[in-house]
Amino acid sequence: MNLMLTFEQGDAVLVSVFLILILMSVLTWYFIVLRGWRAWQVRRLNREADAQLWGAASWQAAEKDLDTSPAPAAALLREGLAAVRKYQQHSDGSLGQSCSLDDYLTRALRKRLSQEQQSLEGGMTFLATIGSTAPFIGLFGTVWGIYNALVNIGAQGQVSIGTVAGPIGEALVATAAGLAAAIPAVLAYNTFTRLNRLINQDMDHFTHDLHAHLLTLGGKDGIR
């Protein structure tokens, strides 16, 4: 079947179904490429930041090396150092400084970690929505195609291949289009969920080590 005939001869409902599924498929692949690149980049940048931090001679040197790094690990380092400095410089008995340095640093790092983890979730809801709705949109196109076939049978008063071939063919293609949009979205969602979990685990471990070192070694290094 020539798909162009569907757009040339199909009714508005069927054409709308195909256009929606095509748009879903294009957006799915766009997010697959975007999120795949983002996940690879974050893991690479975090490994580099981790190596630079623990290989630095001092906290000041590490901060200078990672001052402009876009890595989430670098953002956590900057947040941790800023929290320590703020706590040391504002011991005025305010509500924010009424807790210990341990609690204050934990709160600051947890907030930044949550923000970095949320940034990794962009597009995931969209992929899940496409994966769950595209098959039903395709099924609606299938039902509509069968309906058109029954209308043609009723109008002509007889059943023939010519009567039902076009509408039934369009119905089957609508089902295939729905699956073609949904399957990559579901596979991508599961894959990126797994990747995000691995990245989050790495950042959790990094944050724990950073927190411990800032508490035990920060004073010796003279963080200012």
Side-chain angles (χ1 to χ4, degrees), residues 18-63:
F18 276 102
L19 289 176
I20 291 173
L21 292 175
I22 290 173
L23 179 61
M24 283 184 166
S25 183
V26 170
L27 291 176
T28 294
W29 285 106
Y30 169 77
F31 277 105
I32 287 175
V33 174
L34 184 65
R35 296 307 307 170
W37 167 256
R38 173 63 176 163
W40 175 82
Q41 187 181 45
V42 166
R43 298 195 73 181
R44 178 179 63 84
L45 290 173
N46 277 345
R47 286 195 297 267
E48 293 176 355
D50 184 83
Q52 284 182 288
L53 171 60
W54 304 124
S58 65
W59 290 109
Q60 288 83 356
E63 185 178 26

Side-chain angles (χ1 to χ4, degrees), residues 166-185:
I168 293 299
E170 294 171 350
L172 295 176
V173 172
T175 301
L179 294 176
I183 292 175

Side-chain angles (χ1 to χ4, degrees), residues 137-150:
I137 295 176
L139 181 61
F140 173 77
T142 301
V143 173
W144 191 259
I146 294 175
Y147 166 77
N148 287 335
L150 295 176

Side-chain angles (χ1 to χ4, degrees), residues 62-117:
E63 185 178 26
K64 182 178 179 180
D65 292 339
L66 298 173
D67 184 52
T68 59
S69 173
L76 287 166
L77 170 64
R78 293 191 291 267
E79 185 70 26
L81 291 174
V84 172
R85 292 192 183 102
K86 185 176 180 181
Y87 187 88
Q88 292 175 343
Q89 295 172 1
H90 297 83
S91 55
D92 54 3
S94 63
L95 184 61
Q97 272 69 37
S98 61
C99 58
S100 65
L101 174 60
D102 186 2
D103 293 334
Y104 188 80
L105 184 59
T106 297
R107 183 177 62 188
L109 290 176
R110 182 182 295 121
K111 180 179 179 181
R112 171 57 64 177
L113 179 61
S114 177
Q115 292 173 347
E116 295 298 333
Q117 290 175 339

